[in-house]
């Protein structure tokens, strides 16, 4: 799977969980926390993204990403592993 | 199959509380951000209150209601806590003494963060089921307070994330072969556990951790503990098997998020169905937690008490419980609330006890946090003046309240007032 596809899937879940960000122009350097996405919503975004990509890995494996670009890269690396 | 479970239950939510919204405003926290806590009040342990006094005050009313012959069948006391006061001597020794119970009794303490209460309950349940002491009863008390050393402004800022939700409270449960309040589904349980550094108490008055990691671990655990439950219990279905659900409640929003996760993952439910299901099956579980804050080991049982006290118990109702303790260990288990349980639990007067608490002003609250009177872990000698503390004279509904009065040579001295 292409890295861009993973990133697009992640953005789709963010927009699903936080509809207020529907019109936001996301950059890889955006952090969900800085955009006002609360901790429960952040967890949900990650779990939905893993579901959408069919990735059966503990969400804890993706802890530590500082922005959505890094998170997307971590997910992509797991998919490729 | 043998009948076992909770015969009687008592709750102690402290002598004083603060309003969470007022606290957020006082600390300059974004109120919007904290709305997802779904919290209204949090109990505050006064300097003359500790995990022992909380435990005894929770248990005393239910012990008083027993006949002498029933009291003498209490053969095990398990205290469950992450707020211990000594590395060796367990809280249960003090609890046993101040409840005046007979001496042929096992006394010990268990720890696994907020999972401790469930560990203690399951230990007691299996003691009763073993049949090695027919007719015996066990007293399980989950008791926790959050008291951190807020020495300076920096410490307060560091604590800002968890301060509004960190509460104090104890739930005492009499476990026996006469489960008037909650009959355990014997053998119906599921576990999920793994090592993770999400939150911990590395020092006597400090808490450390990563909130996001803890949320993830909680969500992973609730799904997989239920899957393990379903593996053992034929036909178990998250949506249909349980009339009500009671989860460990760090704050209401966490429970709501976990319920949504399970409904999506296990039941493929639509968003509108999830909201309605949450209100129907879980709203009652939050009524007391919203008033005391996170009570750690006690919170899942406080949630159960909320269901028995405020939900519609028109017939025997099966309740699914989820317990999570950072670090981490978790369990999903279940039992049945009999139709006459609400009438029996009324005697505990839980809501009235919370109503009697004193509302601290922000000035009084900050004074308590910074007080030199606050007893720290390892204190050798001190003298307290309980009568001077706000709210301590409000009573515990007709029964006296136990308070910590002094420490002499590490030995804690308590007094009924």
């Amino acid at each position: 799977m292409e890295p861009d596809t993973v990133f697009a899937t992640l953005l789709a879940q963010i927009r699903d969980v936080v509809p207020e960000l529907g019109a936001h122009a996301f950059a890889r350097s955006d952090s969900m926390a800085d955009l006002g996405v609360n901790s429960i919503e952040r967890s949900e975004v990650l779990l939905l993204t893993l579901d959408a990509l069919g990735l059966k890995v503990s969400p804890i494996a993706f802890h530590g990403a500082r922005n959505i670009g890094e998170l997307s890269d971590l997910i992509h690396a797991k998919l490729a592993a | 199959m043998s009948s076992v479970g909770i015969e009687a239950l008592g709750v102690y939510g402290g002598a004083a509380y603060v309003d969470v919204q007022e606290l957020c405003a006082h600390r300059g926290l974004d109120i919007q951000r904290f709305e997802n806590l779904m919290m209204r009040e949090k109990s505050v342990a006064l300097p003359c209150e500790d995990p022992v006094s909380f435990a005894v005050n929770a248990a005393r009313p239910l012990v008083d209601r027993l006949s002498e012959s029933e009291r003498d069948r209490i053969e095990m006391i398990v205290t469950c806590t992450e707020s211990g006061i000594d590395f060796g001597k367990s809280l249960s020794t003090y609890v046993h003494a101040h409840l005046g119970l007979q001496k042929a009794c096992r006394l010990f303490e268990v720890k696994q963060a907020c999972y401790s209460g469930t560990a203690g309950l399951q230990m007691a349940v299996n003691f009763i089921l073993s049949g090695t002491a027919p007719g015996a009863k066990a007293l399980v008390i989950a008791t926790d307070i959050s008291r951190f050393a807020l020495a300076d402004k920096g410490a307060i800022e560091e604590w800002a994330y968890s301060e509004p939700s960190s509460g104090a409270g104890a739930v005492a449960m009499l476990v026996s072969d006469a489960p008037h309040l909650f009959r355990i589904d014997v053998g119906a349980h599921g576990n999920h556990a793994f090592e993770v550094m999400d939150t911990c108490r590395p020092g006597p008055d400090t808490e450390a951790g990563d909130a996001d990691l803890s949320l993830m671990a909680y969500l992973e655990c609730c799904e997989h503990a239920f899957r393990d439950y379903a593996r053992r219990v034929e036909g178990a279905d998250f949506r249909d098997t349980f009339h009500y659900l009671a989860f460990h409640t760090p704050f209401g929003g966490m429970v709501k998020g976990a319920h949504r996760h399970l409904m999506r993952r296990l039941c493929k439910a639509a968003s509108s169905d999830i909201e309605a299901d949450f209100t129907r099956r879980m709203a009652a579980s939050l009524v007391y937690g919203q008033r005391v804050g996170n009570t750690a080991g006690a919170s899942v049982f406080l949630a159960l008490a909320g269901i028995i006290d405020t939900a519609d118990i028109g017939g025997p109702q099966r309740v699914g419980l989820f317990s999570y303790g950072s670090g981490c260990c978790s369990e999903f288990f279940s039992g049945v609330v009999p139709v006459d349980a609400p009438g029996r639990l009324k005697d505990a007067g839980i809501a009235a006890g919370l109503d009697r608490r004193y509302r601290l002003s922000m000035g009084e609250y900050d004074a308590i946090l910074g007080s030199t009177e606050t007893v720290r872990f390892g204190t050798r000698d001190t003298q307290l003046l309980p009568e001077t503390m706000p709210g301590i004279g409000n009573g515990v509904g007709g029964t006296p309240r136990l308070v910590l009065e002094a420490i002499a040579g590490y030995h804690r001295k308590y007094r009924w007032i």
Side-chain angles (χ1 to χ4, degrees), chain B residues 124-188:
Chain B
V125 162
N126 285 294
F127 165 58
I128 303 300
L129 285 175
S130 74
T132 51
K137 300 178 191 296
L139 186 57
V140 176
I141 312 176
T143 178
D144 273 299
I145 64 171
S146 44
R147 181 140 63 206
F148 301 104
L150 298 184
D152 52 40
K153 200 162 171 284
I156 289 177
E157 279 171 11
E158 199 171 298
W159 196 37
Y161 180 85
S162 58
E163 184 186 16
S165 60
S166 300
V171 172
M173 296 174 281
L174 190 65
V175 179
S176 77
D177 58 6
H180 299 315
L181 297 182
F182 185 68
R183 192 182 73 241
I184 290 276
D185 292 329
V186 174

Side-chain angles (χ1 to χ4, degrees), chain A residues 59-81:
Chain A
I60 289 165
F62 304 99
H63 182 65
R66 286 169 298 180
N67 53 49
I68 55 175
E70 286 187 10
L71 180 57
S72 179
D73 290 346
L74 281 173
I75 295 171
H76 181 257
K78 280 283 178 196
L79 276 169

Side-chain angles (χ1 to χ4, degrees), chain B residues 84-157:
Chain B
I85 56 171
D86 188 281
F87 288 122
K89 181 176 169 67
S90 91
L91 303 177
S92 61
T93 57
Y94 286 112
V95 171
H96 179 254
H98 291 286
L99 292 175
L101 297 174
Q102 59 88 18
K103 293 182 179 173
C105 194
R106 289 186 177 127
L107 306 178
F108 61 98
E109 186 166 306
V110 296
K111 171 177 72 179
Q112 179 33 56
C114 304
Y115 174 72
S116 68
T118 298
L121 174 68
Q122 293 293 18
M123 192 165 287
V125 162
N126 285 294
F127 165 58
I128 303 300
L129 285 175
S130 74
T132 51
K137 300 178 191 296
L139 186 57
V140 176
I141 312 176
T143 178
D144 273 299
I145 64 171
S146 44
R147 181 140 63 206
F148 301 104
L150 298 184
D152 52 40
K153 200 162 171 284
I156 289 177
E157 279 171 11

Side-chain angles (χ1 to χ4, degrees), chain B residues 8-20:
Chain B
L9 183 147
V11 170
Y12 182 69
Y17 75 98
V18 292
D19 180 273
V20 169

Side-chain angles (χ1 to χ4, degrees), chain B residues 153-383:
Chain B
K153 200 162 171 284
I156 289 177
E157 279 171 11
E158 199 171 298
W159 196 37
Y161 180 85
S162 58
E163 184 186 16
S165 60
S166 300
V171 172
M173 296 174 281
L174 190 65
V175 179
S176 77
D177 58 6
H180 299 315
L181 297 182
F182 185 68
R183 192 182 73 241
I184 290 276
D185 292 329
V186 174
H189 66 95
N191 292 102
H192 192 66
F194 56 96
E195 199 280 323
V196 62
M197 194 60 176
D198 55 344
T199 64
C200 62
R201 287 190 175 188
D205 303 307
T206 56
E207 185 177 273
D210 184 314
D212 277 19
L213 185 58
S214 200
L215 288 176
M216 286 293 176
Y218 184 113
L219 292 177
E220 177 175 336
C221 280
C222 66
E223 178 185 342
H224 290 280
F226 179 77
R227 288 189 189 280
D228 188 44
Y229 175 96
R231 184 179 64 79
R232 295 169 200 268
V233 181
E234 199 182 339
D237 180 272
F238 182 71
R239 193 182 341 217
D240 299 329
T241 300
F242 314 101
H243 297 94
Y244 295 105
L245 297 161
F247 283 16
H248 165 53
T249 312
F251 52 94
M254 177 73 246
V255 173
K256 194 168 186 183
H259 169 265
R260 191 164 56 233
H261 173 60
L262 290 174
M263 289 293 286
R264 272 184 168 156
R265 191 68 76 107
L266 300 170
C267 313
K268 309 291 176 215
S271 294
S272 53
D273 292 347
I274 294 173
E275 186 70 30
D277 186 79
F278 178 77
T279 303
R280 185 170 58 80
R281 293 201 294 165
M282 297 208 81
S285 76
L286 300 181
V287 292
Y288 294 139
Q290 283 178 326
R291 300 194 60 190
V292 296
N294 183 3
T295 50
S299 85
V300 66
F301 304 109
L302 200 59
L304 175 63
I307 288 168
I308 298 173
D309 260 352
T310 67
D312 179 13
I313 311 288
Q317 304 286 294
R318 175 155 283 113
V319 181
L321 284 81
F322 172 66
S323 175
Y324 171 81
S326 289
C328 68
C329 181
S330 71
E331 182 153 342
F332 193 100
F333 61 109
S334 64
V336 174
V337 174
V339 70
D340 61 345
R344 291 175 181 274
L345 190 59
K346 267 199 178 62
D347 291 345
I350 298 170
L354 298 178
D355 290 344
R356 272 191 299 273
R357 292 171 306 166
Y358 174 81
R359 179 171 171 168
L360 295 165
S361 69
M362 289 300 106
E364 287 170 324
Y365 174 62
D366 279 342
I368 288 168
L369 293 182
S371 171
T372 52
E373 272 189 306
T374 299
V375 174
R376 300 295 177 203
F377 189 95
T379 297
R380 178 175 179 155
D381 299 292
T382 194
Q383 182 70 44

